[in-house]
Amino acid sequence: MEEQEFTPGLLKLAVLIDADNVPYGSIKGIMEEITKDGIPTIKRIYGDWTKPAMKGWKESLLEYSITPIQQYAWTTGKNATDSALIIDAMDILHREHVEGFCIVSSDSDFTRLASRLRESGKMVIGIGEKKTPKPFITSCNKFIYIEILQKESAVTEDNDSKTPGQTAAAPAKKSGKQADSLLKMDEEIKSLLRSAVDRVSDDAGWANLGDIGNSLRVVKSDFDSRNYGFSKLSGMFKSLNALFETEERPHSSKKKSKAIYVRNKPQ
């Protein structure tokens, strides 16, 4: 089946959160990340809200207008929260007008759900911790690690806490030599990047950075330049000057912005 294309930022999304498998302190970064891909039109979180451990969620639910769905643990050893989330997801699929789903959990029980939603032509974004089993990660169009979002939030809060006139420390940059060393140690990533450029390049070998990013996610749903220390994919390619050429061109639809193109260097 051909992979459907989606327009980031414009999708109507149903956000379904498994409170049993997500730290409540990460919700700010999670919601900010979701808005990069679309508009959260449905926001629900599932758990047993009678448990004292769930009290930490209260302030976040009010701030982000997330609807809590009560699910009692009727039987020991059975995850009723997962079942409730899956049932709601299928109801939304058939009754509501959304283009995508964001499933926030580190639980492999949602693997079949993600696959089913994609079979119905919906964009599926997964957000979970690095302990998330591989089957769930690969069943999503895109998967984002909570640890990356926590790290970004920590940097932002640190900068916001500085007194006026105090200069924020600049993040350390990877030199091209350092980045090349990383790729030499990881042949899989090296091959992944070069293959992605090849798949979407024109006759001259140049490929648009946005198309490269989409191509990477088709092959590896959890690919994220932030996992390798780069805030943007453009910075990653520019640093790898032993492997790639980069070029900025005027954007066809935005007069003041530049489009970035990448080409593999002969090896």
Side-chain angles (χ1 to χ4, degrees):
M1 181 178 177
E2 184 177 349
E3 191 72 21
Q4 185 172 348
E5 293 187 5
F6 300 95
T7 305
L10 301 179
L11 299 175
K12 292 181 180 179
L13 299 173
V15 180
L16 308 177
I17 305 171
D18 175 9
D20 293 335
N21 278 287
V22 177
Y24 67 82
S26 303
I27 194 63
K28 180 178 184 293
I30 289 171
M31 296 308 298
E32 289 177 353
E33 185 71 20
I34 290 171
T35 57
K36 295 178 183 178
D37 287 290
I39 304 166
T41 57
I42 298 172
K43 294 175 285 185
R44 299 178 186 173
I45 185 167
Y46 302 79
D48 185 352
W49 302 102
T50 62
K51 294 181 178 179
M54 305 297 278
K55 289 183 179 180
W57 279 102
K58 183 177 180 181
E59 185 176 339
S60 296
L61 301 189
L62 293 173
E63 182 177 357
Y64 293 99
S65 188
I66 303 172
T67 302
I69 306 297
Q70 171 62 31
Q71 187 60 51
Y72 292 103
W74 299 111
T75 307
T76 303
K78 299 291 184 180
N79 197 331
T81 297
D82 290 2
S83 300
L85 191 155
I86 291 169
I87 291 169
D88 268 12
M90 296 308 296
D91 283 345
I92 292 169
L93 174 64
H94 295 294
R95 297 180 184 177
E96 305 289 345
H97 182 62
V98 297
E99 286 85 38
F101 288 77
C102 181
I103 302 172
V104 185
S105 179
S106 303
D107 196 332
S108 63
D109 288 352
F110 299 113
T111 300
R112 182 66 188 109
L113 172 64
S115 297
R116 178 65 180 83
L117 295 174
R118 288 184 67 178
E119 288 171 1
S120 297
K122 303 299 182 182
M123 171 77 165
V124 179
I125 303 165
I127 300 180
E129 296 177 303
K130 289 188 176 180
K131 66 181 182 180
T132 304
K134 198 68 174 178
F136 178 42
I137 293 174
T138 56
S139 67
C140 300
N141 293 93
K142 175 181 179 180
F143 195 90
I144 303 152
Y145 292 116
I146 287 175
E147 288 86 347
I148 294 295
L149 304 181
Q150 289 174 328
K151 187 180 295 184
E152 288 186 339
S153 295
V155 171
T156 301
E157 290 174 5
D158 182 59
N159 289 340
D160 290 344
S161 67
K162 294 183 182 296
T163 57
Q166 190 174 7
T167 304
K173 295 183 178 179
K174 290 181 181 288
S175 67
K177 185 176 181 181
Q178 289 173 318
D180 285 350
S181 296
L182 171 63
L183 284 187
K184 287 176 183 176
M185 290 188 290
D186 194 337
E187 289 297 323
E188 181 184 356
I189 296 301
K190 178 179 179 179
S191 176
L192 182 71
L193 294 173
R194 292 180 65 83
S195 295
V197 173
D198 279 338
R199 280 194 299 273
V200 295
S201 62
D202 58 21
D203 291 340
W206 289 101
N208 179 276
L209 186 67
D211 293 336
I212 295 171
N214 292 333
S215 179
L216 285 165
R217 282 243 165 80
V218 169
V219 178
K220 185 176 173 63
S221 60
D222 62 341
F223 179 85
D224 192 324
S225 61
R226 293 173 295 184
N227 293 335
Y228 306 95
F230 297 90
S231 60
K232 294 183 178 180
L233 185 59
S234 58
M236 187 175 188
F237 275 109
K238 287 178 180 179
S239 294
L240 306 177
N241 50 34
L243 297 173
F244 304 100
E245 296 178 63
T246 58
E247 180 178 282
E248 291 188 358
R249 303 177 187 176
H251 201 288
S252 58
S253 59
K254 301 176 183 178
K255 294 181 179 179
K256 294 183 179 180
S257 64
K258 298 285 187 179
I260 297 175
Y261 286 76
V262 179
R263 181 165 66 179
N264 287 328
K265 285 186 176 181
Q267 297 295 300

